[in-house]
Amino acid sequence: MSMPFYVSPEQSMKDKADYARKGIARGRSAVVLQYDGGILFVADNISRTLHKISELYDRIAFAAVGRYNEFENLRQMGVRLADVRGYAYDRSDVSGRVLANIYAQTLGTVFSESNKPWEVEIVVAEVGDDAASDQIYRITFDGSVVDEQGYLAMGGSAEQVTTALKERFDKDASLGAAVNAAVHALRHENGEERDLDSSGLEVAVLERGRREHRKFRRVTGDRLTSLMEEGAASGGADPAQDSAAEEPGGGSQDRTNGS
């Protein structure tokens, strides 16, 4: 008669954490950072349709690394919850903190009760009326929440990317300079400098000064290329150019479908 197989709770949790970390580390990194006009998101992503960065609600955006189908489920859940809460109460009642807490509860439950943890790490960011009121929350695979200040990197070789980002981060930088800092950091993933152009990046912003409600914009094409060139040449972009129109984030499409 065979003996029953037993694994201590501590070992089980450690094994699941190691599994999730390895899965996340296989993917490319993403960075989130403040700049003088709001919050910038830059992800190493060659896909034009499978987004790592999306709008959740008026002032709130979502960024993720790891397994796409798992963080896409989380994104869609967040969009539905935000829409229901905003409709039932008031749009101002939908906050980044509320959504971050819900994501933390969901991931914590999956990690504790499921045999396989979700291989995801996400950020929920909300742009405020000023830089001091911006909110950036990192939620890890086990449901832990960190209230980040200024900037962060996640996925892939996050430690190396964070170190490179710290060298150039300035919360008062123009959009061009912030893009330059983010690209510089992502180029140092895995500890080796590599080529990275606009075709391999997904970029979006939450712009503080844009419209009363919808603050999310994608930055693509010629606009992204010019920002990268301006940032590389001068360490920043002209503030007047930063106010030029970026490509819209797709409106409600970004919030309701799988793109």
Side-chain angles (χ1 to χ4, degrees):
M1 181 177 178
S2 61
M3 297 290 291
F5 183 71
Y6 173 76
V7 177
S8 69
E10 292 84 358
Q11 185 63 46
S12 175
M13 291 298 177
K14 181 181 182 301
D15 289 345
K16 287 195 284 188
D18 290 344
Y19 177 88
R21 289 192 187 98
K22 289 177 181 177
I24 294 168
R26 282 193 289 269
R28 294 294 190 182
S29 296
V31 298
V32 181
L33 63 156
Q34 289 179 296
Y35 72 102
D36 65 354
I39 302 173
L40 170 67
F41 305 79
V42 182
D44 189 344
N45 185 12
I46 61 173
S47 174
R48 300 296 89 189
T49 57
L50 303 179
H51 295 312
K52 293 182 177 182
I53 303 164
S54 294
E55 181 184 30
L56 286 181
Y57 208 62
D58 294 346
R59 292 169 163 264
I60 306 170
F62 171 97
V65 293
R67 189 175 288 274
Y68 176 79
N69 67 309
E70 293 175 347
F71 68 67
E72 176 62 11
N73 284 336
L74 291 170
R75 185 196 70 84
Q76 292 183 13
M77 180 188 77
V79 170
R80 289 193 295 267
L81 288 168
D83 282 342
V84 169
R85 187 179 181 89
Y87 178 79
Y89 300 100
D90 186 83
R91 301 187 80 89
S92 62
D93 290 324
V94 182
S95 70
R97 181 176 59 84
V98 168
L99 291 171
N101 286 335
I102 292 171
Y103 281 139
Q105 293 169 16
T106 300
L107 286 171
T109 299
V110 171
F111 183 77
S112 298
E113 299 181 1
S114 173
N115 288 329
K116 190 198 92 63
W118 283 8
E119 300 163 60
V120 297
E121 188 170 349
I122 66 175
V123 164
V124 174
E126 178 178 358
V127 68
D129 293 330
D130 53 53
S133 56
D134 289 346
Q135 301 173 38
I136 303 175
Y137 300 103
R138 181 207 300 257
I139 305 98
T140 57
F141 58 85
D142 61 354
S144 299
V145 182
V146 179
D147 183 2
E148 298 283 358
Q149 302 297 316
Y151 64 93
L152 66 91
M154 58 182 179
S157 304
E159 290 185 9
Q160 289 95 328
V161 176
T162 299
T163 299
L165 184 59
K166 184 178 180 180
E167 295 173 357
R168 300 196 180 185
F169 170 72
D170 177 4
K171 66 181 178 64
D172 297 319
S174 66
L175 180 55
V179 169
N180 181 50
V183 173
H184 167 78
L186 290 173
R187 281 176 173 154
H188 286 76
E189 189 167 15
N190 297 319
E192 298 179 1
E193 189 164 356
R194 60 195 178 92
D195 292 333
L196 195 62
D197 58 29
S198 59
S199 64
L201 295 172
E202 180 182 0
V203 180
V205 291
L206 285 172
E207 292 180 300
R208 206 182 319 283
R210 286 280 182 177
R211 295 186 292 180
E212 181 181 355
H213 292 303
R214 302 288 292 283
K215 306 293 187 180
F216 184 84
R217 289 285 185 278
R218 294 194 182 278
V219 185
T220 62
D222 293 340
R223 176 59 176 152
L224 176 56
T225 300
S226 67
L227 281 171
M228 292 176 67
E229 291 173 350
E230 291 165 7
S234 63
D238 180 48
Q241 292 177 334
D242 287 346
S243 63
E246 282 94 23
E247 181 180 327
S252 59
Q253 182 179 21
D254 274 316
R255 297 168 51 193
T256 56
N257 66 19
S259 64

